[in-house]
Amino acid sequence: MAAVDEPVGCVNRAFEGADDGFQTIDLRATIRRNGAYQGEEDTSSQLSPEERALRCGWGMIRPSWLQRFRTAKWALFWLCWAGAIQGMVVNGFVNVVITTIEKRFGLRSMQTGVIAGGYDMASFVCLAPVTYLGGRTSSSKPRWLGWGALLMGTGSLLFALPHFLVPPYKIAGDEPDDFCNTNTTSAALCNEATASESGAWAVGIFVFAQLLHGAGATPLFTLGVTYIDENVSKKMSSVYLGIYYTMAVVGPALGYVVGGQMLYIYTDFASVNSETLGITPLSSVWIGAWWIGFILSFILCLIVAVPLLAFPHELPGAAEIRASKISEAHEGEASKSAAFSALRELPKAAAALFKNPTFMFLNLAGASEGMLISGFAAFLPKLIENQFAVSASEAALLLGVITVPAGGGGTFAGGWLVKRWQLACAGIIKLCVAATLLAGLFTFSFILSCDDYPFAGITTPYSSPRIIGGDRLLAECNQGCSCANAPYAPVCGADGIVYYSPCHAACTSATTSGTARLYHHCACISVNGTLPIYTEPDGSNPMMYEAINSTCKSDCPYLWLFVFLTFCVMLFTFLATMPALSATLRCVREDQRSFALGIQWILVRLLGTIPAPLLFGFLIDLSCSVWGSGGECSKTGACHLYDNKNMSRYMLALAFAGKLCSLIFFFLAWWFYRPPGKNNAVVPSIDLVHSEKSNGTIPTVATVSTISNGVDRTNGYCNAALEGSDHL
């Protein structure tokens, strides 16, 4: 009988059938104990409880045909959509409608900052228990993810509720009292103003809805990340996570684009025809249908939650994947402690992570980056609207267009570079330093500032003398019009100057032509030459006017330059996102990863994303030139006009200071990083001696331990399956 050739080299049975890329390891567990294959008759009733728990399904419903979807690819598919919906709602729809709900409910930027920060407040409270309890081996991460999606959908439905609790929106400037009329009393106007600015109660509903958003989204980027990392090979972990985070960035882009398009629809379109009101999306008093996007997100959350709840707590091949991974955790006494499994050991687990300097400096860098991302995501549309005189829908569309290639492309490129250059933990952190440095240079885009609107009484004088000691908005030409409490309804005069209202322009009559409201006989507007003529879109019905209810065109040439520089800032900012996450996962022990991500997101929110909207809103309120006011019977409402130069300076200071802090913290994270020692590997029969981390690439394997079969591998690898691996 012929001798059978024995395999040469080091053989590790744990790596038989290992994946070569995107394919998840197949345990060949499709052959069940009773000999039946998947696709044959359903024998789920003969399986043990442990085997049933590893099957896709809901409760007792776990059909065989559903098991074909029990792969890492399908898990990634549904997680990507869940992350995209979360970004679309929280970082897209909410940020797009900030200025709209300010006008609709008479809110200040500080109040909308509280609304924007409600999401992170809930995440801060929920992160520790969710990540610790959900990260235990006995917990089902997909179940946490599915119920979180349902909770997030409930928050979206609640966010749209204030629209249905208020009467239809009243257009200011359309009533007889809004014109120059000496018989109008201030008391009547005050009552109208009070009625239009009585929506401060909606802040409570918005904040509670954001709390539900935050609680529901908590598992997505903590348990969701670890679920992917546990069920794919280490070689492909960065790619899978890069795809996941790319979709998370595409979500806000969808939110900006879709939400911006919704603002072209009139808020009460179901009961009011906006064409009969003589207003268009270009009108200053236009209120778009801000609430439709949240109804849409509620439906999408329901759709995504169902398949997420069907996945088992681990996918086929997870055990072999765990055995194949080599730890790159920061080498320290605290990191060598045993796994933490009991809730009473929570302080001990946290202390072990706090003693990891690399992990802590990565957290601080994430906090400063999170402050900038959260603050600018909420108020960058407002900045573009006011600096460059564009509508809310146009500003949202611009941000949506640049977010897809800049945010999504930067996130995916960061994960790809980690794999392409085969970077170890030190090299990954150095990549973060370089990307942050480049992003910091482009933050000087915020120095671009346009001249303020020529606003009568504020930035430019009236054509008639001003009343000494009186309101800035009053002059001799409108002194007898009783305009002190007129509602804000800005009009663009034929002289190119913006007036607070038709009353302040001393207009006595108006006509509607198509979708425009034209004002006539305006005593405060002086035009040298002929009056401008308005024609309907089809060119018919030409009509001269002295003022129109739309914004004056801006001659500022910096819009597209600002958009390009903002694109560069976003590109390099998100380029560091994926490498920073990868470095965080590598610098801690595997049994600490879920909890480490939870601690990181707590610190990022506590130090960054929670105070960011409040800080940005406070500084934006400081740059306000004209506040909404209802006179003696109304409190200060929304800001109507901002000082562009002050707003630009405040944003530049915040952006530069934040990037400088991020750069310092990333550098310190690299400086204090210590690679693991030779006894920190989990793969048997391999003795690793690491080289210095000065080049930031994969350490060289210098020696190989004695192997039982006597084969000496000169390339430094004991297992052929590990040759060429980018993780040694």
Side-chain angles (χ1 to χ4, degrees):
M1 181 171 154
V4 180
D5 293 338
E6 294 292 336
V8 294
C10 178
V11 178
N12 192 327
R13 298 294 181 186
F15 292 93
E16 291 185 6
D19 64 312
D20 58 350
F22 284 95
Q23 301 296 328
T24 305
I25 292 179
D26 185 4
L27 284 176
R28 295 174 296 278
T30 55
I31 302 179
R32 301 196 184 97
R33 293 182 179 179
N34 58 4
Y37 287 84
Q38 288 186 6
E40 297 183 7
E41 60 175 317
D42 190 0
T43 58
S44 59
S45 60
Q46 304 177 19
L47 298 176
S48 65
E50 292 78 10
E51 291 173 321
R52 286 186 58 81
L54 293 176
R55 292 169 60 86
C56 277
W58 307 270
M60 300 300 296
I61 305 175
R62 299 179 185 269
S64 296
W65 61 266
L66 194 61
Q67 309 315 311
R68 71 185 66 181
F69 302 104
R70 189 179 50 167
T71 64
K73 287 183 178 179
W74 279 105
L76 177 65
F77 176 81
W78 291 111
L79 280 174
C80 282
W81 280 111
I85 294 171
Q86 180 270 342
M88 181 177 67
V89 177
V90 177
N91 299 317
F93 290 158
V94 173
N95 297 333
V96 166
V97 305
I98 284 290
T99 54
T100 302
I101 63 176
E102 281 184 5
K103 291 193 295 183
R104 180 67 178 91
F105 299 101
L107 307 178
R108 304 180 62 168
S109 293
M110 274 288 289
Q111 291 174 299
T112 53
V114 172
I115 295 172
Y119 169 83
D120 294 305
M121 295 176 190
S123 297
F124 171 73
V125 174
C126 297
L127 268 170
V130 168
T131 54
Y132 188 80
L133 298 176
R136 295 182 301 176
T137 55
S138 60
S139 298
S140 174
K141 294 181 178 66
R143 188 172 301 172
W144 286 85
L145 292 165
W147 284 109
L150 290 175
L151 192 61
M152 191 165 55
T154 305
S156 295
L157 186 63
L158 185 63
F159 202 98
L161 182 62
H163 168 75
F164 303 97
L165 299 180
V166 295
Y169 176 62
K170 176 184 175 295
I171 300 296
D174 193 44
E175 298 294 328
D177 292 339
D178 297 329
F179 299 102
C180 180
N181 190 341
T182 56
N183 296 325
T184 302
T185 61
S186 298
L189 288 173
C190 179
N191 292 334
E192 293 291 341
T194 304
S196 66
E197 296 189 357
S198 60
W201 54 269
V203 174
I205 296 179
F206 289 138
V207 171
F208 185 66
Q210 282 285 78
L211 293 177
L212 294 182
H213 282 153
T218 297
L220 281 177
F221 298 103
T222 51
L223 300 182
V225 169
T226 54
Y227 187 70
I228 293 174
D229 190 66
E230 291 168 358
N231 289 283
V232 298
S233 64
K234 192 171 185 180
K235 179 180 180 180
M236 296 307 302
S237 177
S238 294
V239 177
Y240 269 66
L241 292 178
I243 296 173
Y244 182 38
Y245 274 81
T246 299
M247 284 298 293
V249 174
V250 170
L254 289 175
Y256 279 117
V257 174
V258 176
Q261 296 304 307
M262 295 300 177
L263 294 181
Y264 281 108
I265 305 173
Y266 187 62
T267 183
D268 296 315
F269 68 93
S271 58
V272 178
N273 185 1
S274 61
E275 294 183 359
T276 62
L277 300 176
I279 60 172
T280 67
L282 298 178
S283 303
S284 301
V285 294
W286 175 272
I287 299 294
W290 59 271
W291 51 275
I292 297 181
F294 297 98
I295 302 296
L296 174 64
S297 65
F298 166 70
I299 298 173
L300 294 178
C301 285
L302 293 182
I303 295 175
V304 171
V306 174
L308 283 178
L309 289 169
F311 280 95
H313 70 275
E314 69 176 15
L315 299 175
E320 291 191 10
I321 290 172
R322 283 194 298 269
S324 69
K325 292 182 178 179
I326 295 176
S327 175
E328 288 187 87
H330 171 83
E331 183 71 10
E333 293 298 326
S335 64
K336 295 180 180 179
S337 58
F340 305 102
S341 58
L343 187 61
R344 64 178 179 272
E345 296 182 359
L346 181 63
K348 186 178 180 182
L353 292 174
F354 290 153
K355 293 179 182 179
N356 186 333
T358 299
F359 173 72
M360 291 305 298
F361 281 120
L362 286 175
N363 291 342
L364 294 176
S368 57
E369 290 289 281
M371 173 175 287
L372 296 181
I373 293 175
S374 177
F376 280 111
F379 293 105
L380 190 56
K382 177 188 282 286
L383 175 67
I384 295 177
E385 286 179 47
N386 290 275
Q387 286 283 354
F388 306 105
V390 299
S391 65
S393 53
E394 291 175 333
L397 181 61
L398 283 174
L399 287 179
V401 169
I402 66 175
T403 299
V404 173
T411 302
F412 185 80
W416 182 81
L417 288 176
V418 171
K419 180 178 182 294
R420 177 65 178 83
W421 291 341
Q422 302 184 15
L423 298 177
C425 190
I428 292 173
I429 302 175
K430 290 169 70 176
L431 176 61
C432 295
V433 172
T436 304
L437 177 61
L438 292 174
L441 295 178
F442 285 106
T443 56
F444 286 97
S445 61
F446 293 101
I447 203 172
L448 297 175
S449 178
C450 299
D451 294 334
D452 292 322
Y453 255 139
F455 201 103
I458 305 299
T459 61
T460 189
Y462 278 95
S463 58
S464 62
R466 178 182 174 183
I467 298 177
I468 304 301
D471 193 330
R472 294 182 298 171
L473 297 175
L474 298 181
E476 291 184 0
C477 61
N478 59 20
Q479 183 178 9
C481 295
S482 301
C483 299
N485 297 314
Y488 180 69
V491 295
C492 179
D495 54 359
I497 298 176
V498 179
Y499 295 86
Y500 189 89
S501 71
C503 181
H504 287 81
C507 299
T508 59
S509 63
T511 57
T512 300
S513 177
T515 56
R517 188 76 167 166
L518 308 178
Y519 299 93
H520 312 283
H521 307 104
C522 305
C524 291
I525 299 176
S526 60
V527 179
N528 296 326
T530 60
L531 293 173
I533 299 176
Y534 175 83
T535 57
E536 296 187 15
D538 58 0
S540 62
N541 194 22
M543 185 178 298
M544 292 194 304
Y545 66 91
E546 294 181 44
I548 187 172
N549 64 338
S550 63
T551 57
C552 294
K553 293 183 179 180
S554 173
D555 296 329
C556 183
Y558 302 133
L559 174 60
W560 291 108
L561 177 60
F562 180 83
V563 169
F564 171 75
L565 295 178
T566 303
F567 170 86
C568 296
V569 174
M570 293 178 61
L571 177 67
F572 290 108
T573 296
F574 284 96
L575 183 66
T577 301
M578 188 58 233
L581 173 66
S582 183
T584 301
L585 292 174
R586 295 191 187 196
C587 74
V588 298
R589 293 178 61 90
E590 185 171 354
D591 56 6
Q592 297 174 328
R593 285 182 176 178
S594 291
F595 189 51
L597 287 179
I599 293 295
Q600 182 182 64
W601 280 100
I602 287 176
L603 294 177
V604 166
R605 278 159 170 73
L606 182 63
L607 302 178
T609 58
I610 288 179
L614 301 178
L615 177 60
F616 275 70
F618 173 74
L619 292 179
I620 288 178
D621 282 342
L622 286 182
S623 62
C624 182
S625 299
V626 179
W627 285 102
S629 175
E632 299 177 354
C633 55
S634 177
K635 297 181 180 179
T636 301
C639 180
H640 296 320
L641 181 68
Y642 292 94
D643 187 317
N644 286 346
K645 184 172 293 185
N646 286 337
M647 181 184 288
S648 178
R649 288 175 177 175
Y650 292 146
M651 296 301 102
L652 174 63
L654 286 173
F656 183 76
K659 285 298 179 184
L660 181 61
C661 292
S662 298
L663 184 65
I664 294 174
F665 292 139
F666 275 130
F667 176 79
L668 292 177
W670 171 81
W671 183 263
F672 286 100
Y673 175 69
R674 296 295 178 267
K678 65 180 181 179
N679 295 324
N680 201 23
V682 296
V683 176
S685 303
I686 299 179
D687 190 13
L688 299 178
V689 178
H690 292 268
S691 63
E692 295 296 326
K693 67 182 179 76
S694 58
N695 58 0
T697 57
I698 302 303
T700 304
V701 181
T703 62
V704 181
S705 61
T706 303
I707 305 173
S708 58
N709 58 13
V711 178
D712 184 12
R713 293 281 187 178
T714 57
N715 61 4
Y717 292 103
C718 172
N719 193 305
L722 297 178
E723 294 183 10
S725 171
D726 57 345
H727 299 289
L728 292 178

